[in-house]
């Protein structure tokens, strides 16, 4: 879903003429090996996303600190970094999809 929705959101304004304020800023998901199961879940998610062709990297604490200068991260910290991911305005997404549906006959 992440891979496919990213494509849709990135091209939404070009395809429809409606802005959803897509901002390609990347997504960083943090986890701690100090919390049972948390790091393992992120590691599984990264492996699954990579198997689907999503650009995502598992970062250890030193790589994470290099990516985000000034970040305080213990040696137990890991992260999933999706550099191509981003954010949208959810209200604009709903309004845009609703408008398209109306234009195609939805009531």
């Amino acid at each position: 879903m992440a891979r496919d929705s990213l494509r849709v959101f990135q091209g939404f304004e070009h395809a429809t003429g409606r802005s959803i304020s897509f901002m390609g800023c990347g997504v960083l998901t943090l986890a701690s090996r100090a919390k049972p199961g948390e790091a393992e879940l992120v590691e599984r998610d990264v492996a699954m996303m990579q198997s689907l062709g999503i650009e995502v990297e598992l970062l250890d604490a030193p790589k994470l600190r290099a990516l985000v200068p000034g970040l305080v991260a213990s040696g137990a910290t890991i992260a999933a970094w999706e550099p191509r991911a981003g954010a949208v305005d959810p209200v604009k997404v709903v309004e845009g999809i609703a408008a398209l549906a109306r234009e195609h006959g939805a009531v």
Side-chain angles (χ1 to χ4, degrees), residues 6-66:
L6 179 60
R7 270 189 243 140
V8 169
F9 289 152
Q10 284 176 326
F12 193 87
E13 185 170 2
H14 178 74
T16 68
R18 291 178 171 79
S19 171
I20 56 172
S21 299
F22 177 80
M23 182 175 50
C25 54
V27 171
L28 188 64
T29 303
L30 302 172
S32 174
R33 294 193 187 286
K35 294 184 180 176
E38 191 173 272
E40 292 79 7
L41 178 61
V42 169
E43 290 168 335
R44 281 193 308 270
D45 285 350
V46 166
M48 183 267 304
M49 292 168 74
Q50 288 173 336
S51 75
L52 295 171
I54 297 170
E55 183 181 345
V56 60
E57 181 182 358
L58 187 63
L59 305 177
D60 58 13
K63 287 182 181 177
L64 180 57
R65 288 190 290 265

Side-chain angles (χ1 to χ4, degrees), residues 73-85:
S74 76
T77 305
I78 67 165
W81 169 235
E82 298 174 70
R84 294 171 140 325

